Amino acid sequence: MNLTVNGDTLTLDGNTITDLVAQLGLTGRRLAVEVNREIIPKSQHGDVALNEGDVVEIVHAIGGG
Amino acid sequence: MSDLLTIADKTYQSRLIIGTGKYKDFNETRDAIETSGAEMVTVAIRRTNIGQNADEENLLDYIPPEKYTILPNTAGCYTAEEAVRCCKLARELLDGHDLVKLEVLGDQKTLYPNIPHTLKAAQALVDDGFKVMVYTNDDPIVAKELEAMGCVAVMPLGSLIGSGLGILNPHYIQLIKEDANVPIIVDAGVGTASDAAFAMELGCDGVLLNSAIAHAGNPVLMASAMRKAIEAGRESFLAGRMPRKAYASASSPLEGISR
């Protein structure tokens, strides 16, 4: 399915957020994920199925003041 | 002497809070923070790079949340809505950690706080259970408002973010501190160690800074200087300075001089 992830289009070979995170090589990273502006807790990443056209944001901590 | 800083029921030995931006690399970030003695460090929340550098290092591997109190900021947010969203992402990212630094900016030239949006966001975050440390201007009335809303620390600017211009309005900072029942932390504007000491001598409870260390010629050495400046300024404030006098007052006895 086609998603928008952090502003870019991406084709996901899978169904869940866990699948997406794995496809991006980010498994095990400290991340937060939003789908269509709703935060999905880490505990649900394996359960929540993504849908065609979903807008996903993946964020992490970087240096800042 | 036990003189601890308490923020949201947690106590800190250090009154210095350090930002993690603008360093050369994560090693320098870590070395500067360790040297500064800071126990609380700020981070920003940003989109993860997709499709590149899967092995990219993670800031939180260098400043582990088990060792430091991580203070996620809302830097770059220009509306209350953006700032609230950013705090919610930070809470999820940090496993429910609910201490945040709220900053809602007014424009890119000054990064001066947008007070109407800051007040709106502060209220929404407090209502949602966040512990809010809030970046604000040096207006004593606004500071009082933010305290009344339930913010756990009020953080007036010394001068513009990243300017290094020091504490431009010490009298207003003092007025804010005089009336406050929550920690007052000077956030932004500190350029060098004497600025940090001066902020502490005004009676402030702490100082938050980033560029003054990260953009120093030798950041780790400046981190050491800042640690000492904060301690010196605090002790100086607690000791109570001598009164200012218009004319000289000899330190040596005037009697018994051989003539």
Side-chain angles (χ1 to χ4, degrees):
Chain A
M1 75 184 88
N2 292 308
L3 308 171
T4 301
V5 181
N6 287 0
D8 292 331
T9 52
L10 181 147
T11 304
L12 172 65
D13 309 316
N15 297 307
T16 65
I17 295 173
T18 301
D19 295 336
L20 173 62
V21 170
Q23 183 175 323
L24 295 171
L26 298 171
T27 301
R29 296 297 191 90
R30 210 183 268 270
L31 302 166
V33 178
E34 244 185 23
V35 178
N36 301 328
R37 295 238 155 191
E38 186 188 339
I39 290 172
I40 310 296
K42 288 181 196 73
S43 58
Q44 296 172 24
H45 285 188
D47 306 327
V48 173
L50 293 165
N51 296 297
E52 177 74 25
D54 277 351
V55 177
V56 181
E57 289 285 319
I58 303 177
V59 301
H60 68 309
I62 65 157
Chain B
M1 184 177 66
S2 168
D3 174 41
L4 302 172
L5 171 63
T6 303
I7 297 174
D9 299 326
K10 189 169 172 192
T11 56
Y12 301 87
Q13 305 267 356
S14 170
R15 292 175 177 274
L16 181 56
I17 303 170
I18 302 280
T20 55
K22 303 178 177 173
Y23 287 92
K24 188 179 67 187
D25 54 35
F26 288 156
N27 281 316
E28 189 181 74
T29 311
R30 180 196 54 212
D31 292 349
I33 291 168
E34 271 181 17
T35 304
S36 77
E39 297 160 277
M40 187 186 291
V41 298
T42 66
V43 301
I45 306 299
R46 289 291 180 275
R47 280 176 166 174
T48 302
N49 285 331
I50 299 300
Q52 47 185 320
N53 302 331
D55 296 328
E56 198 179 9
E57 292 190 289
N58 188 337
L59 174 65
L60 295 181
D61 294 335
Y62 286 78
I63 47 159
E66 299 74 35
K67 184 171 174 188
Y68 296 101
T69 296
I70 305 295
L71 183 62
N73 69 28
T74 64
C77 293
Y78 286 83
T79 66
E81 292 72 24
E82 285 170 12
V84 169
R85 179 183 177 209
C86 183
C87 288
K88 289 179 177 174
L89 283 167
R91 181 166 62 183
E92 161 63 13
L93 178 70
L94 296 167
D95 304 320
H97 171 81
D98 53 11
L99 185 71
V100 292
K101 171 182 164 179
L102 171 65
E103 56 179 299
V104 188
L105 304 173
D107 71 23
Q108 291 185 359
K109 185 174 166 187
T110 65
L111 301 180
Y112 206 74
N114 178 320
I115 296 301
H117 277 268
T118 298
L119 291 165
K120 191 176 165 194
Q123 188 67 64
L125 289 168
V126 169
D127 289 347
D128 196 10
F130 282 95
K131 299 180 180 103
V132 181
M133 299 175 67
V134 56
Y135 167 67
T136 182
N137 61 9
D138 53 23
D139 180 335
I141 306 303
V142 171
K144 244 357 222 182
E145 245 345 83
L146 290 164
E147 177 186 322
M149 278 181 183
C151 292
V152 298
V154 174
M155 307 200 291
L157 49 75
S159 51
L160 301 183
I161 291 173
S163 71
L165 291 175
I167 316 299
L168 294 185
N169 214 338
H171 180 58
Y172 286 8
I173 300 278
Q174 251 172 334
L175 287 181
I176 290 173
K177 176 56 197 169
E178 244 174 52
D179 270 349
N181 298 302
V182 293
I184 300 300
I185 292 166
V186 166
D187 178 4
V190 166
T192 190
S194 53
D195 294 336
F198 182 52
M200 296 308 294
E201 284 181 331
L202 293 174
C204 293
D205 298 279
V207 170
L208 194 164
L209 57 85
N210 189 150
S211 306
I213 291 179
H215 279 178
N218 180 336
V220 177
L221 187 57
M222 186 57 88
S224 169
M226 287 300 180
R227 175 184 198 145
K228 292 167 183 166
I230 295 287
E231 288 172 7
R234 178 66 180 172
E235 288 185 3
S236 175
F237 168 72
L238 292 175
R241 62 153 297 142
M242 64 164 281
R244 287 183 169 84
K245 294 172 188 166
Y247 297 102
S249 164
S251 296
S252 307
L254 299 175
E255 303 81 33
I257 297 171
S258 296
R259 298 191 189 272

